[in-house]
Amino acid sequence: MATHAPEQGPDTGDEPTLKRAIGPKLLILFVIGDILGTGIYATTGKVAGKIGGALWLPFLIGFVVAILTAASYVELVGKYPKAAGAALYTQKAFKVPFLTFIVAFMVMCSGLSSASAAARAFSGDYLAEFTGGAVPPTLIAILFILALAALNLRGVSESVKTNVVLTVVELTGLLVILTIGAWAVLTGEGEPSRLGDLSATGTGYALLTGVLGATALGFFAFVGFEDSVNMAEETRDPVRTFPRAIFTGVAVTGTIYVLVALVSSLLVDHRTLEKSSGPLLEVVKAGGLDFPPKAFALIALFAVTNSALINIMMASRLCYGMANERILPRAMGRVLAGRRTPVVGIVFVSLLAIGLVSTGEIEGLGDTTAFLLLCVFAVVNIAVLVLRRDRVGHAHFRTPTALPILGAVTSLILASPLADRDADVYIRAGVLLAIGIGLWAVNKVVMRARGET
């Protein structure tokens, strides 16, 4: 029988704590909304540019990899329902504080690079349907991040309820794409021969690296389920709630992604998709149904807003969790008394996101997100095996041993140079890690000066 974590209230301890405001249905919508969004709405064209017309293949492989790692997260969040997520699991498994910090910082930065990619997508072709591209995209992206930070400060209930509305909107947009695809099949529109086209990859070794590169970038569309574990302290009965929420979320989004990829290739040549920062808008324009492009562009803007909102929210909660674990300075865990939100964490991650959005584009930021998380997923899949020796006092989900082994191997392959990603992805990730190491050193010095461990 799973134990029920106590409700947390404002009088627990010296500092106000997070509010348990998320139930089972809300969490499922939260996971779906977190996974859906920028990846499918903005990077589909870039994935097509790497592989050709067989756009469905990277998304299918990415779905399998996501399920493998999701199973490990479900086991771990059931054992340790805390807000720190992968950082907590790494520390419990390996007990190496430096590794714990690096993993935690990589997760946080992956959320920020994802939010930055969403901000860039917001300021691209979808918005240009209304503005004609007259406003500088970087300025729009920065203002976008600031607006989401303000919403995040208002509280988790407001942010998650906004997420529910935006999730319904973005699902509607993808259903429009699937309806257009069904109509195309029934009326004989489109070019089915594109669905087996791997011409963009080359042959031989180039084919292997091309498919892996497309899968690694396409995997960006699946990230998000790991963010939900950072909401464990704001979820009612997380031990019971998380397994269904995460598996349902990954299954629903994976199915939608493969179908959307099939429709996109059926109706639009991969070279046209590659050139657009709003590739699904090209699908709408090419479809046989008369759906207003501006209406779809508006839906897409809501979708990428949802992705950015959740990632900013999750990164701030991760700061809160790391501060409580004493990985970051204690001040990072400070909660705004009136709203009970992690105010210092929200300000910190928003400043980093502004830096990223000012220096990167959609493809590079999306690939950076995928690379960082694939490295983290490899560690998490190993950690779940190591932690089998650690027994807890309540029942929880246990994944078959083969799944985390396969999850670790596939994650490492997709994170390796075999995935044929651009050098700027490694440079950006290296700079972020250097910032993390600098913060680690400062925190260590401060703790020593205070005589703390």
Side-chain angles (χ1 to χ4, degrees), residues 391-403:
R391 304 286 179 165
V392 295
H394 60 268
H396 61 85
F397 174 86
R398 180 184 169 103
T399 184
T401 301
L403 298 190

Side-chain angles (χ1 to χ4, degrees), residues 85-96 99-100 103 379-380 383:
L88 176 65
Y89 313 145
T90 302
Q91 179 62 23
K92 285 186 174 292
F94 306 109
K95 303 189 188 311
V96 179
L99 176 62
T100 300
V103 167
V379 174
V380 169

Side-chain angles (χ1 to χ4, degrees), residues 332-349:
M332 300 297 294
R334 188 165 296 160
V335 173
L336 191 63
R339 305 304 307 181
R340 292 167 65 187
T341 52
V343 57
V344 178
I346 291 170
V347 172
F348 177 68
V349 301

Side-chain angles (χ1 to χ4, degrees), residues 67-139:
I67 281 289
L68 295 174
T69 301
S72 293
Y73 269 98
V74 168
E75 176 170 338
L76 290 169
V77 75
K79 290 179 76 171
Y80 315 110
K82 300 291 184 180
L88 176 65
Y89 313 145
T90 302
Q91 179 62 23
K92 285 186 174 292
F94 306 109
K95 303 189 188 311
V96 179
F98 182 71
L99 176 62
T100 300
F101 179 79
I102 291 299
V103 167
F105 197 77
M106 289 176 78
V107 172
M108 187 186 73
C109 289
S110 71
L112 297 181
S113 59
S114 178
S116 299
R120 276 293 185 181
F122 185 92
S123 63
D125 288 347
Y126 292 123
L127 186 63
E129 281 290 309
F130 302 96
T131 66
V135 185
T138 301
L139 175 59

